């Protein structure tokens, strides 16, 4: 009779364990909040595209796309709306910035990843991060008050204007160095230690290991850092607004004043523009051009990252 007696606790222990997911209120709230953030960012992007597209359509009803992309004069006072002067100055300042930021940032990343001791890394990385935290308007006046006099002293007073694209591009490159070095250093640090040890085992020096082993292995992350840096240079506003000039000029001379797309938007946005005027709509046409440029860079970046990505076990 005793063996037939089964207590309540024994019945509970013999009951099969249920694998059914048990609802947890806290996790459900967090999951819902994360979903809300994702949907909000998606609708924000869609809203930006809709506003840019609708206002740009109103502009292109009055100005043909062919004139917009081929005319070398941007002067709304005489109904000339050629994007080329603004586009050329944007590309020139961005190119100058990349000549400074990409090699310097990559060299700093290689040093921090392959050569620097823990103590040196703990000192240098915060200093680089301080550069990234300086407001861009400060960089703009640094270009105007320091870099331009330096260029005048090197190339001659008569050859360099007070406002010029070279000083804006050089200082913009200095501003972007921390971004390139930080992202590239992360990519190089992610390379497995076994690759370095294998190279050392074969007799390679530290420089050969860094250049011929680590750098190719982390090339996908480095490319992504480069493309993000280019996008940052194209979209920079305050440095070029302060130091590059405020006149749309179609010139290849980096020592002359010229106005970039972002600088032009910042300048005329603060003026007395009437809504629904062609001047007002032109802001969105320029913004749409910038959006398409950065979108194209991001698409190229994704293709390059997928093309050169290496997976290690």
């Amino acid at each position: 009779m005793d063996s037939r007696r089964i207590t309540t606790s024994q019945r509970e222990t013999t009951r099969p364990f249920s694998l059914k997911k048990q609802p947890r209120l806290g996790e459900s709230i967090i999951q819902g909040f994360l979903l809300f953030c994702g949907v909000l960012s998606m609708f924000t992007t869609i809203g930006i595209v809709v506003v840019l597209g609708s206002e740009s359509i109103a502009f292109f009803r009055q100005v043909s796309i062919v004139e917009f992309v081929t005319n070398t004069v941007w002067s709304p006072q005489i109904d000339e709306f050629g994007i080329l002067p603004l586009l050329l100055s944007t590309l020139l300042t961005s190119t100058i910035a990349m000549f400074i930021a990409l090699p310097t940032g990559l060299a700093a990343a290689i040093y921090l990843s392959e050569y620097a001791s823990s103590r040196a890394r703990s000192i240098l990385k915060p200093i680089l991060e301080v550069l990234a935290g300086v407001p861009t308007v400060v960089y703009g006046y640094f270009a105007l008050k320091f870099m331009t006099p330096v260029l005048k002293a090197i190339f001659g007073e008569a050859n360099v204007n007070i406002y010029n694209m070279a000083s804006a591009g050089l200082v913009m490159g200095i501003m972007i160095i921390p971004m390139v070095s930080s992202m590239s250093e992360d990519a190089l640090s992610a390379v497995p230690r076994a690759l370095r040890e294998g190279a050392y085992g074969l007799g390679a020096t530290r420089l050969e290991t860094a250049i011929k082993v680590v750098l190719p292995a982390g090339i996908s992350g480095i490319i992504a850092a480069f493309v993000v840096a280019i996008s940052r240079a194209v979209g920079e506003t305050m440095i070029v607004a302060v130091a590059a000039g405020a006149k749309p000029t179609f010139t290849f001379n980096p020592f002359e004043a010229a106005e970039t797309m972002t600088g032009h938007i910042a300048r005329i946005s603060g003026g007395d523009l009437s809504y629904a005027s062609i001047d007002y709509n032109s802001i969105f046409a320029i913004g749409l051009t910038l959006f398409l440029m950065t979108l194209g860079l991001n698409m190229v970046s994704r293709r390059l990252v997928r093309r050169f990505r290496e997976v290690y076990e």
Side-chain angles (χ1 to χ4, degrees):
M1 290 296 289
D2 294 341
S3 62
R4 293 178 181 177
R5 292 179 180 174
I6 301 175
T7 62
T8 303
S9 61
Q10 285 174 327
R11 287 194 187 97
E12 290 178 353
T13 54
T14 55
R15 187 180 298 170
F17 181 75
S18 176
L19 296 177
K20 186 178 179 181
K21 182 180 178 181
Q22 300 297 320
R24 295 181 178 177
L25 180 61
E27 287 192 5
S28 299
I29 293 175
I30 293 173
Q31 184 177 350
F33 176 73
L34 295 177
L35 176 63
F36 170 76
C37 293
V39 172
L40 180 64
S41 61
M42 185 179 68
F43 276 101
T44 302
T45 306
I46 293 173
I48 292 172
V49 173
V50 169
V51 171
L52 280 178
S54 59
E55 298 291 344
S56 299
I57 288 173
F59 172 79
F60 286 117
R61 283 175 180 162
Q62 304 177 64
V63 178
S64 71
I65 295 179
V66 175
E67 180 189 349
F68 183 71
V69 299
T70 58
N71 194 346
T72 58
V73 178
W74 180 277
S75 182
Q77 295 81 8
I78 56 174
D79 291 334
E80 295 283 355
F81 291 97
I83 192 68
L84 286 181
L86 302 175
L87 180 63
L88 178 61
S89 55
T90 301
L91 294 179
L92 271 176
T93 53
S94 301
T95 302
I96 294 170
M98 291 306 99
F99 272 116
I100 299 298
L102 299 189
T104 310
L106 181 58
I110 292 174
Y111 174 75
L112 290 173
S113 172
E114 305 303 315
Y115 289 92
S117 63
S118 300
R119 177 177 173 78
R121 191 180 295 112
S122 65
I123 296 173
L124 291 176
K125 284 205 75 171
I127 294 175
L128 284 173
E129 290 168 359
V130 167
L131 278 178
V134 175
T136 55
V137 67
V138 176
Y139 280 110
Y141 282 102
F142 174 72
L144 188 63
K145 297 295 183 181
F146 177 79
M147 192 60 70
T148 297
V150 170
L151 292 177
K152 282 179 173 288
I154 296 174
F155 296 100
E157 189 78 22
N159 297 323
V160 181
N161 292 344
I162 295 176
Y163 298 100
N164 62 85
M165 294 180 282
S167 63
L170 290 171
V171 173
M172 196 156 58
I174 294 172
M175 182 196 69
I176 296 174
I177 286 174
M179 175 189 292
V180 177
S181 64
S182 179
M183 295 182 66
S184 300
E185 198 257 337
D186 290 341
L188 296 177
S189 298
V191 175
R193 183 71 185 171
L195 291 181
R196 295 177 175 85
E197 294 173 350
Y200 293 143
L202 292 174
T205 63
R206 181 173 288 188
L207 179 62
E208 291 171 336
T209 302
I211 301 300
K212 297 182 179 179
V213 177
V214 179
L215 200 60
I219 192 67
S220 62
I222 294 171
I223 290 173
F226 284 6
V227 175
V228 171
I230 296 171
S231 300
R232 179 71 179 84
V234 170
E236 170 53 31
T237 302
M238 287 311 299
I239 295 176
V240 292
V242 172
K247 182 180 179 182
T249 306
F250 187 76
T251 175
F252 289 91
N253 186 352
F255 298 129
E256 291 185 4
E259 192 171 40
T260 65
M261 290 190 284
T262 53
H264 182 72
I265 292 174
R267 180 172 63 85
I268 66 173
S269 296
D272 298 327
L273 284 181
S274 60
Y275 291 101
S277 65
I278 189 170
D279 288 359
Y280 176 77
N281 292 330
S282 69
I283 297 174
F284 295 91
I286 299 170
L288 181 64
T289 306
L290 278 172
F291 177 80
L292 293 177
M293 288 174 64
T294 53
L295 178 65
L297 285 171
N298 288 334
M299 293 175 66
V300 170
S301 170
R302 291 176 65 87
R303 290 183 64 85
L304 290 175
V305 168
R306 281 200 298 267
R307 169 69 178 80
F308 293 103
R309 174 176 291 171
E310 296 186 16
V311 180
Y312 302 98
E313 296 182 354

